[in-house]
Amino acid sequence: MSKETNKEKQCFVRQKTFFFAEVIEQDARNNLAKGKFLLAKDGFNDLCKIDKEKYLPELLACYYGMANEMIRNGQLSDAAQIADNIKALTGDKNEGSLDLLIAVKQKDYDAVARIYANLLFQGRGISDIPESSLATDALVVSFQEFPQLKSNCPEIYEELHAVQQALEDVSSERYEDAWLKVKKIAVHSFFSHWKLFIKGLVAFYK
């Protein structure tokens, strides 16, 4: 086979690959937009073999969509497997938002508190974390200190510690001490409802 014929063949293969990639890409994006995550995942999985850097974000979006549907339907072991697949694809072995949602569905609030604290430690904003209000409550009722928050999230750490100590003060009938510990918590704080709760306890028991 001449060099010229070989070049023509290579050119034809590249054009064919490009054509099929375009078709797969269009179908995959349409399926993703329609919430057909499994079909979209298959398409983006094939596209990642051609250009992983380009198509990985959309493949991950498919996995997240599939996992969220599974969590809503109570298919928690399947969702956990998807979460593991995402970690394998990204190389990030830390527990993430899906692990938090699975723990919430399982009502494993110790796990919720641990995962939430780790997400905050990793620099995730509270408003960017799903079920953040429930997870904040889980931090409180776990009665653990979560020292990893002390360096990265000092305000959260201090307010969490203040609420936990105030609850201990209420249980020991040290009502004034309890109120003094939480009175500086701001209205916009994620612990503000705990401040009001403790204020109500103090007013009731005094």
Side-chain angles (χ1 to χ4, degrees):
M1 185 180 293
S2 68
K3 289 183 179 179
E4 191 171 321
T5 304
N6 194 39
K7 284 181 181 179
E8 288 174 354
K9 185 177 180 181
Q10 289 175 355
C11 182
F12 173 75
V13 170
R14 284 196 297 271
Q15 287 175 342
K16 187 177 179 182
T17 302
F18 179 76
F19 172 76
F20 282 114
E22 274 195 328
V23 173
I24 294 170
E25 180 180 330
Q26 185 176 353
D27 284 346
R29 285 186 173 149
N30 286 339
N31 285 324
L32 180 58
K34 293 175 183 176
K36 298 179 179 179
F37 301 114
L38 182 58
L39 288 173
K41 186 266 294 182
D42 291 340
F44 285 118
N45 203 34
D46 289 337
L47 290 167
C48 277
K49 295 172 185 175
I50 300 169
D51 190 337
K52 184 175 181 180
E53 185 177 354
K54 179 179 179 180
Y55 295 109
L56 181 59
E58 287 164 303
L59 178 60
L60 292 174
C62 297
Y63 275 120
Y64 276 108
M66 290 168 61
N68 282 314
E69 283 187 345
M70 290 170 179
I71 291 169
R72 285 194 297 271
N73 294 330
Q75 299 168 275
L76 302 183
S77 60
D78 292 332
Q81 183 59 59
I82 295 290
D84 289 340
N85 290 343
I86 290 172
K87 290 169 191 171
L89 282 168
T90 60
D92 184 358
K93 302 302 180 185
N94 293 313
E95 291 176 305
S97 299
L98 290 177
D99 299 288
L100 179 66
L101 290 172
I102 292 167
V104 167
K105 195 77 171 179
Q106 292 172 329
K107 298 183 180 180
D108 184 352
Y109 297 115
D110 285 340
V112 170
R114 183 192 71 247
I115 297 166
Y116 184 50
N118 287 334
L119 288 171
L120 292 171
F121 175 72
Q122 292 163 29
R124 294 279 296 275
I126 289 179
S127 59
D128 297 327
I129 300 174
E131 300 286 359
S132 56
S133 181
L134 185 150
T136 300
D137 292 345
L139 283 181
V140 173
V141 299
S142 70
F143 283 96
Q144 298 179 48
E145 289 192 11
F146 301 101
Q148 68 266 45
L149 297 178
K150 193 170 186 177
S151 56
N152 279 31
C153 312
E155 184 177 349
I156 293 173
Y157 175 82
E158 288 169 10
E159 291 183 349
L160 170 63
H161 195 50
V163 169
Q164 290 175 333
Q165 285 192 321
L167 290 171
E168 290 179 3
D169 285 340
V170 169
S171 69
S172 300
E173 301 181 0
R174 297 190 297 269
Y175 304 119
E176 291 294 340
D177 291 342
W179 174 239
L180 286 173
K181 285 184 174 69
V182 297
K183 68 182 297 184
K184 291 183 180 179
I185 292 177
V187 174
H188 64 267
S189 168
F190 271 74
F191 295 96
S192 61
H193 59 294
W194 282 98
K195 174 184 176 179
L196 292 175
F197 176 63
I198 289 163
K199 184 178 182 180
L201 288 177
V202 169
F204 181 79
Y205 285 113
K206 275 184 69 175

